[in-house]
Amino acid sequence: MRTKRTCGLLLKMKQMQIMGFLCILMLLLVYMTTIYYHYHQEEVEPKFGPLHFAEDSRVAHMVLPRGIVEASSDLEPRALTAEHISKSKVSVEGSRNLLAMAVGIEQKGNVDEIIRMFISENFTIVLFHYDDNVDAWWDLGWSKDAIHIVAHSQTKWWFAKRFLHPDVVSIYDYIFLWDEDLGVQNFRPARYLEIVKVEGLEISQPALDPNSPGIHHRITVRNRRNRVHRRVYQDKGRTKCSEESEGPPCSGFVEGMAPVFSRRAWRCVWYLIQVIINLYRNEKIPFRLLQKDIVFEIFIQCVVWQNDLVLGWGMDMKFGYCAQGDRTNNVGVVDSEYLVHLSTQSLGSGSSPKKILRALSPSQKVPKGRVANPRVQLRRESTYELQVFMERWEEAVKEDKQWVDPYKQTLLV
């Protein structure tokens, strides 16, 4: 009897151990599922949410009276006093084009020259201040008519993604998204837009003076014999461009320093600007349970955060996909209205090495004991971002089985 009772107790203890193990395992599974679902939602919503922005409008129509729903906005200041209302309305109706620039106080003189030319053509001006210094601009006559947005050490693409949503800039026919280090002595905005409209260019840029110190692609160099050119021929250097070359940077290409987008093109390009994305990887975590000699291995989902691709490298190679048709026709460089690329950007030049190091990706860190050169490090980060962007593009193409590349195997790098 005692033996049977002892066996029964041992059996019950084993059953309790098994039940305890199963309960703990179930709790772990519930916890892991909750964590996975939480982060999966954070991954999916930022990545795909903007594509369904129109659905938000439809939802609003369902819960609000149709006549009260306002699906778009603009960047036009509104007067607060009655005597300025009529003047404000005239300004809004006349301002059909937008100039947006990321600026720092070191380039104040050059930026002033650029904006005085544009504001005389009734452009809306948006300045993205990356050095926190806005007060030093108030002495310029046009400054109070511009929109000023401040965020420390951010690039124009970071600003553009957050403040130039297509539904916010939908009233503007053309969006000029320019760098601050451009000489405009040979540029007239009104004449430029006349040419763009006649030529049917959805994405364009002014040509660069051949003597500019900062030229990166042969196609951007001014051709004195043309009003507009859409391709370039070259048989020297790493990239060869011939009559058969149908892709960037030989044709269908403009550079990211001074692009001009039509309203329709910008609605597409905005989605190319990359933001934070979550990635998952599986890691084995040993978990010890019940008995010292038993180890259960489980898999948990770990979240890896990637930084914004704020420098924009790689995007200009894909601008042509947003050209609303054949990029070899709808993307071009305007020769008769041209710029000088001064190549004197101040973003990053005033940052301390420690700040630069904190902002860099892990693979771009400077070895211990060496002093970081901010400009060199930003250049390295740009190269790294180009690689990441191209990898994301290739991965997206593989995942989207319904998408057909109209320009397959025409990209030259």
Side-chain angles (χ1 to χ4, degrees):
M1 289 292 294
R2 183 175 298 177
T3 302
K4 289 182 178 180
R5 186 176 298 172
T6 303
C7 291
L9 290 173
L10 291 174
L11 181 60
K12 286 184 178 180
M13 289 178 63
K14 288 183 178 180
Q15 290 176 342
M16 291 177 64
Q17 286 182 337
I18 293 173
M19 291 297 293
F21 166 74
L22 291 175
C23 289
I24 294 175
L25 185 60
M26 289 297 294
L27 289 172
L28 285 172
L29 290 173
V30 171
Y31 175 76
M32 291 162 54
T33 303
T34 303
I35 293 297
Y36 174 82
Y37 177 79
H38 172 71
Y39 286 115
H40 181 67
Q41 286 297 104
E42 288 190 355
E43 176 190 17
V44 171
E45 289 174 5
K47 188 173 181 180
F48 299 104
L51 297 177
H52 299 95
F53 190 85
E55 291 185 5
D56 295 338
S57 178
R58 288 197 293 269
V59 170
H61 280 299
M62 293 172 61
V63 299
L64 297 173
R66 182 174 297 273
I68 204 66
V69 174
E70 192 68 57
S72 63
S73 183
D74 59 52
L75 292 168
E76 300 302 313
R78 296 298 191 267
L80 295 178
T81 55
E83 61 266 26
H84 295 116
I85 289 179
S86 58
K87 179 181 178 181
S88 187
K89 287 181 179 179
V90 172
S91 176
V92 171
E93 292 175 359
S95 297
R96 302 301 302 177
N97 302 296
L98 175 72
L99 170 67
M101 303 173 64
V103 302
I105 197 61
E106 293 182 18
Q107 299 288 335
K108 181 180 178 181
N110 194 63
V111 172
D112 178 40
E113 185 174 356
I114 294 173
I115 292 180
R116 280 191 287 108
M117 179 172 293
F118 277 85
I119 209 162
S120 65
E121 302 290 346
N122 210 22
F123 272 67
T124 296
I125 308 297
V126 179
L127 295 187
F128 303 129
H129 296 271
Y130 57 74
D131 60 358
D132 300 336
N133 195 339
V134 180
D135 291 342
W137 296 82
W138 296 128
D139 61 322
L140 300 176
W142 50 261
S143 187
K144 291 183 179 180
D145 295 322
I147 306 297
H148 299 265
I149 301 173
V150 183
H152 185 69
S153 295
Q154 301 304 316
T155 70
K156 71 177 182 181
W157 298 109
W158 185 95
F159 283 107
K161 186 66 173 181
R162 288 152 179 82
F163 301 103
L164 300 183
H165 187 280
D167 288 329
V168 173
V169 299
S170 62
I171 72 167
Y172 306 108
D173 297 324
Y174 292 91
I175 293 94
F176 289 62
L177 191 58
W178 281 15
D179 288 354
E180 61 185 332
D181 59 334
L182 301 170
V184 293
Q185 293 81 6
N186 301 294
F187 182 82
R188 295 164 295 173
R191 178 60 182 154
Y192 180 88
L193 288 177
E194 288 177 9
I195 296 171
V196 165
K197 293 174 183 177
V198 169
E199 294 287 340
L201 299 178
E202 297 284 342
I203 301 176
S204 63
Q205 76 160 82
L208 300 181
D209 188 295
N211 297 319
S212 296
I215 294 178
H216 305 124
H217 298 282
R218 181 71 181 82
I219 195 172
T220 64
V221 178
R222 183 191 180 211
N223 186 330
R224 290 183 175 87
R225 295 173 297 178
N226 295 338
R227 183 173 70 168
V228 171
H229 70 270
R230 293 174 169 85
R231 63 165 53 247
V232 69
Y233 302 94
Q234 62 179 25
D235 54 8
K236 298 180 181 179
R238 187 181 67 174
T239 301
K240 306 294 191 298
C241 296
S242 64
E243 189 66 40
E244 289 73 34
S245 303
E246 296 296 336
C250 299
S251 66
F253 175 80
V254 300
E255 198 171 2
M257 73 176 70
V260 179
F261 305 102
S262 70
R263 182 193 300 112
R264 295 193 305 165
W266 178 249
R267 184 166 288 278
C268 171
V269 170
W270 184 85
Y271 290 107
L272 275 178
I273 307 174
Q274 301 292 288
V275 298
I276 290 177
I277 185 173
N278 304 331
L279 299 179
Y280 295 98
R281 67 165 180 258
N282 289 322
E283 290 189 356
K284 287 186 176 180
I285 306 295
F287 181 72
R288 197 175 299 275
L289 180 66
L290 295 181
Q291 296 183 11
K292 294 182 179 179
D293 58 341
I294 300 178
V295 176
F296 298 93
E297 284 192 342
I298 63 174
F299 291 88
I300 67 172
Q301 298 292 329
C302 295
V303 182
V304 180
W305 294 96
Q306 289 187 343
N307 291 328
D308 280 22
L309 302 185
V310 296
L311 299 175
W313 277 41
M315 277 196 306
D316 48 12
M317 290 290 180
K318 305 300 182 183
F319 283 165
Y321 286 89
C322 296
Q324 310 301 305
D326 186 354
R327 65 184 177 187
T328 61
N329 291 325
N330 297 351
V331 179
V333 178
V334 178
D335 296 293
S336 58
E337 302 297 321
Y338 60 99
L339 305 170
V340 176
H341 185 207
L342 304 174
S343 195
T344 55
Q345 304 99 309
S346 56
L347 176 59
S349 62
S351 301
S352 68
K354 288 184 179 180
K355 288 182 179 179
I356 293 294
L357 284 172
R358 284 197 297 269
L360 290 177
S361 304
S363 61
Q364 306 299 309
K365 299 293 186 182
V366 176
K368 190 175 182 179
R370 292 179 59 184
V371 178
N373 182 320
R375 301 300 300 173
V376 172
Q377 291 305 116
L378 284 174
R379 179 76 178 184
R380 289 176 179 172
E381 183 69 4
S382 299
T383 303
Y384 170 76
E385 285 198 7
L386 172 61
Q387 176 185 348
V388 173
F389 179 86
M390 298 307 293
E391 289 174 354
R392 290 188 186 181
W393 178 274
E394 293 172 4
E395 186 64 25
V397 171
K398 290 179 182 177
E399 291 178 356
D400 192 345
K401 304 301 182 183
Q402 305 298 319
W403 186 73
V404 178
D405 189 347
Y407 306 114
K408 192 173 182 180
Q409 297 181 345
T410 61
L411 176 65
L412 301 179
V413 292

